[in-house]
Amino acid sequence: MPPSAHVSPVARPPLVRAAAVGCGAAAVLLLLLVAVAWAPLLAFDRVVVEGLHPVAVRRPALTEGVRVLSDWVWDPLTLRVLLGVVVLALWRAGEPGPAALLAGVCAVAAAVQQGMKTLVGRERPRLPDPVDSAEFAAFPSGHAMTAAVVCGLLWWAAARAARWTLVRPVAVAGAVSTAGVGLTRVYLGVHWPSDVLGGWLLGACLVAAAVAAYERWAAGRGPRGRRRAGPGPRHADDWTGPRGASAGGRLDGGRAARAGTVGPTPPERREVIADRAIPRVARSA
């Protein structure tokens, strides 16, 4: 059975739908708290960022390594290029549905991210002696959201293809990348912790919702290329008439009836029957 003809054993619809609803509800709640500037949340964000900034300033070597991870290894562009390679591989392997899903969800995530940044308009941390800088508004974190989307989609693609040797490494690498990029953004002082949390929740919500919708569509579609009525006759002699005799084996109808056989006569048997029947036809002529 081709990979696209079955529902992924790891993509259990109730669990995926619950994840989509739960992450979506948490993201909406967090968005409201950020929008109304809820004091306890803002105080927590400031304590974390202001506590990490002196460490980043005092340890330039560590900070430079963190910057490389954040701005190059786990950069949204890097992750999108990686996903693009997987999309191309799926397309060439005859899997246009999953390829389109990966590309579509990544594009929607980028649009949602930029739209929410414009809508919320939250300012980034302003620190003395900053160790890094970033553009656009703060909420949600684009790095965190892109990592959650890309790593979640890659894990689903590996699990759906039943390539179990890849599932665990992809899951571990994805978890490390998603968590790591969020921590680096806070350590570098370019995001508040709630920005990162919002990116994770929104990314997980989009992936879970898209996977649940796709798996439901794929399950309703059924196995691809499956013949509904079975294979048709390959030769006129293979046709079985209403009485169970084949077109090429009608001379053997009496024997087939006495033997209790039903259906077309085997080709080698038809040749023997035809050879025996030719002298009888000649004598009758």
Side-chain angles (χ1 to χ4, degrees):
M1 181 181 294
S4 60
H6 62 80
V7 177
S8 170
V10 298
R12 307 181 189 278
L15 181 61
V16 175
R17 288 195 294 268
V21 173
C23 291
V28 170
L29 177 60
L30 182 60
L31 171 62
L32 294 176
L33 295 178
V34 170
V36 300
W38 190 48
L41 178 64
L42 300 185
F44 172 78
D45 284 344
R46 186 166 298 279
V47 166
V48 173
V49 170
E50 292 180 353
L52 288 174
H53 183 62
V55 179
V57 172
R58 290 195 306 265
R59 299 184 178 182
L62 174 62
T63 301
E64 184 61 27
V66 171
R67 186 185 295 114
V68 170
L69 289 175
S70 182
D71 295 342
W72 293 95
V73 178
W74 293 325
D75 183 74
L77 179 59
T78 304
L79 295 178
R80 288 167 185 159
V81 169
L82 174 61
L83 188 69
V85 173
V86 176
V87 167
L88 181 59
L90 288 172
W91 188 274
R92 291 174 62 87
E95 293 284 356
L101 177 74
L102 266 61
V105 173
C106 188
V108 170
V112 170
Q113 165 198 319
Q114 293 300 326
M116 292 195 67
K117 284 179 177 290
T118 303
L119 177 65
V120 178
R122 189 183 194 186
E123 292 188 359
R124 294 179 182 269
R126 294 182 178 181
L127 301 169
D129 194 13
V131 297
D132 202 356
S133 61
E135 298 179 351
F136 306 110
F139 186 90
S141 168
H143 282 67
M145 186 172 177
T146 303
V149 168
V150 171
C151 294
L153 290 174
L154 292 180
W155 176 79
W156 171 76
R160 184 179 178 279
R163 297 184 178 180
W164 303 112
T165 56
L166 294 178
V167 172
R168 181 170 294 179
V170 170
V172 172
V176 171
S177 299
T178 304
V181 72
L183 295 177
T184 61
R185 302 309 284 171
V186 176
Y187 176 85
L188 294 173
V190 292
H191 272 295
W192 306 105
S194 55
D195 300 336
V196 172
L197 179 58
W200 287 339
L201 291 174
L202 287 170
C205 176
L206 285 176
V207 172
V211 167
Y214 180 86
E215 294 289 1
R216 182 176 182 180
W217 171 79
R221 184 186 179 197
R224 182 179 61 184
R226 181 176 59 186
R227 297 180 179 180
R228 296 181 179 179
R234 291 176 295 178
H235 192 274
D237 290 344
D238 293 336
W239 178 85
T240 302
R243 294 185 179 180
S246 64
R250 287 176 181 170
L251 294 173
D252 193 41
R255 295 185 181 181
R258 288 193 298 271
T261 59
V262 179
T265 306
E268 61 275 8
R269 185 173 176 81
R270 287 201 300 268
E271 294 177 1
V272 175
I273 294 170
D275 293 340
R276 294 178 179 177
I278 290 175
R280 299 177 187 175
V281 176
R283 285 196 297 270
S284 63

